[in-house]
Amino acid sequence: MTVLFGEYRWGWDNARVTTIPDIPAVTSRHRPPEDLSRFAWLSIAAAIATILLKTLAWHITGSVGLLSDAAESLVNLVAAIIALVALKVSIRPPDMNHQFGHSKAEYFSAGAEGMMIFIAAAVIVYSAVERFLYPRPIADAGVGLLVSVLASVINGAVAWVLLRNGRKRRSMTLIADGKHLLTDVWTSLGVLVGVGLVWLTGWQRLDPIVAFAVGINILVTGAKLVRQSGTALLDVSLPEEDNAAIRDFLAAHSNDHLTFHAVRTREAGYRQFLEFHMLVPGSWTVKQGHDVMEDLIDEILEEWPEMRVSGHLEPIEDPRSYEDIDV
């Protein structure tokens, strides 16, 4: 591997290879990544507010369901802090040890959040079983429910913001955090139903039964997050609709003397990667092939601004050009 330095091309052993003219400075064709950490701060603020509200609701009522709800909000806070760190790391520019950037840091946030959900679910299930065996009455349910509803409204609003911006900006971290908060909203609704039924019927064991169901629901959410982050770390391809659009785009640029194969895509956080082989007449000069390739990449970036594109030129008449057609 060689690098350009001044008027010389240097190898990693610092041996001079050849003398080349100075190349004018150019700007990157890729726009810099957006700092999304402001959404993590919003999630942190929401988590702190809901922890305080739900803890107050549990303190007023003594409901184990509301306690389990507060425990999940504590997980939300830790997850939001991890998301903040991951979002900051993910936008760091490439370096010598991470030449494709740091965008995969987002997947570690989602995986860590999933593991914490497992722990929270275990605590909730344990508390529910204990309260089922030794039921205790719920006090001042009306006030407690009102406080919990307010917390759910806060979580629901923040979840909507995170999911909307996560999908728009293709951020796994924001999507995972938004889904977790949305699950928290549904969990809270379940707890509210349980506490309300206890309040109306007087059957104390309804509260721990609902709390147990909440714990199982949280466990399922954690499993999904771990699975999604693990799959993404394995260099999953872009969604099928994106791949289809890319195939259509390349097909529209194909003709008798220009075609493509070995088209591959992957995503890493907000970054998207596309590789393809472009087959051109062997009689073309390097400059002709290079100009067509660069113009094509510019068009691709107009359609997919976050894409990192790598193209390989091959002579269309050479049989060896088709040995990797199925790659």
Side-chain angles (χ1 to χ4, degrees), residues 19-78:
T19 302
I20 62 173
D22 285 333
I23 297 177
V26 295
T27 57
S28 173
R29 72 200 316 172
H30 300 108
R31 65 186 184 190
E34 182 182 3
D35 187 352
L36 303 178
S37 60
R38 62 186 182 279
F39 296 108
W41 282 113
L42 176 63
S43 184
I44 289 172
I48 293 173
T50 54
I51 287 172
L52 294 174
L53 288 171
K54 291 179 179 180
T55 301
L56 175 61
W58 163 71
H59 180 72
I60 292 172
T61 64
S63 165
V64 69
L66 290 174
L67 175 61
S68 68
D69 214 9
E72 187 181 4
S73 293
L74 183 61
V75 174
N76 291 347
L77 175 59
V78 177

Side-chain angles (χ1 to χ4, degrees), residues 31 34 36 38-39 106 159-176 242 267 269-272 303-306:
R31 65 186 184 190
E34 182 182 3
L36 303 178
R38 62 186 182 279
F39 296 108
E106 290 201 40
W160 181 82
V161 172
L162 295 180
L163 287 172
R164 180 173 179 271
N165 286 278
R167 288 165 180 154
K168 179 180 178 181
R169 295 168 168 83
R170 305 180 74 95
S171 170
M172 177 69 177
T173 297
L174 294 184
I175 291 173
D242 289 336
E267 60 181 352
Y270 63 88
R271 289 183 186 269
Q272 303 165 302
E303 292 290 329
W304 295 276
E306 302 299 338

Side-chain angles (χ1 to χ4, degrees), residues 105-117:
E106 290 201 40
Y107 299 132
F108 290 100
S109 171
E113 185 170 351
M115 295 304 297
M116 287 187 296
I117 288 174

Side-chain angles (χ1 to χ4, degrees), residues 209-224:
I209 288 174
V210 172
F212 185 87
V214 167
I216 298 302
N217 179 57
I218 295 173
L219 190 64
V220 172
T221 301
K224 288 181 179 179

Side-chain angles (χ1 to χ4, degrees), residues 245-266:
I246 291 170
R247 289 193 297 267
D248 292 343
F249 178 91
L250 294 178
H253 288 74
S254 300
N255 50 50
D256 292 339
H257 58 272
L258 181 66
T259 187
F260 305 89
H261 67 230
V263 180
R264 297 188 291 262
T265 65
R266 67 183 179 92

Side-chain angles (χ1 to χ4, degrees), residues 182-196:
L182 194 60
T183 300
D184 186 89
V185 173
W186 291 112
T187 297
S188 297
L189 290 177
V191 170
L192 292 174
V193 170
V195 174

Side-chain angles (χ1 to χ4, degrees), residues 6-326:
E7 64 172 348
Y8 302 112
R9 185 186 298 272
W10 292 76
W12 291 123
D13 57 358
N14 289 333
R16 183 183 300 179
V17 178
T18 185
T19 302
I20 62 173
D22 285 333
I23 297 177
V26 295
T27 57
S28 173
R29 72 200 316 172
H30 300 108
R31 65 186 184 190
E34 182 182 3
D35 187 352
L36 303 178
S37 60
R38 62 186 182 279
F39 296 108
W41 282 113
L42 176 63
S43 184
I44 289 172
I48 293 173
T50 54
I51 287 172
L52 294 174
L53 288 171
K54 291 179 179 180
T55 301
L56 175 61
W58 163 71
H59 180 72
I60 292 172
T61 64
S63 165
V64 69
L66 290 174
L67 175 61
S68 68
D69 214 9
E72 187 181 4
S73 293
L74 183 61
V75 174
N76 291 347
L77 175 59
V78 177
I81 294 173
I82 294 177
L84 174 64
V85 175
L87 289 171
K88 284 293 189 182
V89 172
S90 69
I91 62 173
R92 289 179 181 174
D95 55 37
M96 289 303 300
N97 292 323
H98 308 90
Q99 297 178 4
F100 289 92
H102 300 78
S103 54
K104 281 189 176 182
E106 290 201 40
Y107 299 132
F108 290 100
S109 171
E113 185 170 351
M115 295 304 297
M116 287 187 296
I117 288 174
F118 286 147
I119 298 173
V123 173
I124 291 170
V125 169
Y126 175 82
S127 300
V129 172
E130 190 271 339
R131 184 60 67 91
F132 184 84
L133 295 176
Y134 307 101
R136 290 193 293 273
I138 294 177
D140 297 322
V143 177
L145 292 179
L146 183 62
V147 174
S148 187
V149 166
L150 178 58
S152 296
V153 170
I154 294 173
N155 270 341
V158 175
W160 181 82
V161 172
L162 295 180
L163 287 172
R164 180 173 179 271
N165 286 278
R167 288 165 180 154
K168 179 180 178 181
R169 295 168 168 83
R170 305 180 74 95
S171 170
M172 177 69 177
T173 297
L174 294 184
I175 291 173
D177 208 16
K179 285 183 175 180
H180 187 191
L181 286 179
L182 194 60
T183 300
D184 186 89
V185 173
W186 291 112
T187 297
S188 297
L189 290 177
V191 170
L192 292 174
V193 170
V195 174
L197 288 175
V198 171
W199 187 27
L200 292 173
T201 66
W203 189 32
Q204 304 299 329
R205 283 192 169 90
L206 274 176
D207 180 40
I209 288 174
V210 172
F212 185 87
V214 167
I216 298 302
N217 179 57
I218 295 173
L219 190 64
V220 172
T221 301
K224 288 181 179 179
L225 285 176
V226 171
R227 178 179 58 81
Q228 290 172 356
S229 61
T231 300
L233 285 171
L234 295 176
D235 283 342
V236 66
S237 176
L238 294 179
E240 179 53 34
E241 58 269 23
D242 289 336
N243 286 328
I246 291 170
R247 289 193 297 267
D248 292 343
F249 178 91
L250 294 178
H253 288 74
S254 300
N255 50 50
D256 292 339
H257 58 272
L258 181 66
T259 187
F260 305 89
H261 67 230
V263 180
R264 297 188 291 262
T265 65
R266 67 183 179 92
E267 60 181 352
Y270 63 88
R271 289 183 186 269
Q272 303 165 302
F273 294 88
L274 167 64
E275 298 178 9
F276 60 83
H277 293 187
M278 187 173 82
L279 292 90
V280 301
S283 59
W284 279 19
T285 65
V286 172
K287 186 178 187 306
Q288 281 180 287
H290 175 264
D291 287 344
V292 171
M293 177 78 76
E294 292 301 311
D295 291 342
L296 179 68
I297 292 176
D298 286 339
E299 290 188 47
I300 291 174
L301 293 179
E302 288 181 7
E303 292 290 329
W304 295 276
E306 302 299 338
M307 194 79 74
R308 266 55 178 175
V309 185
S310 176
H312 175 61
L313 276 175
E314 295 180 317
I316 201 168
E317 308 89 351
D318 190 346
R320 292 180 299 176
S321 298
Y322 300 89
E323 293 175 353
D324 51 14
I325 194 169
D326 294 326

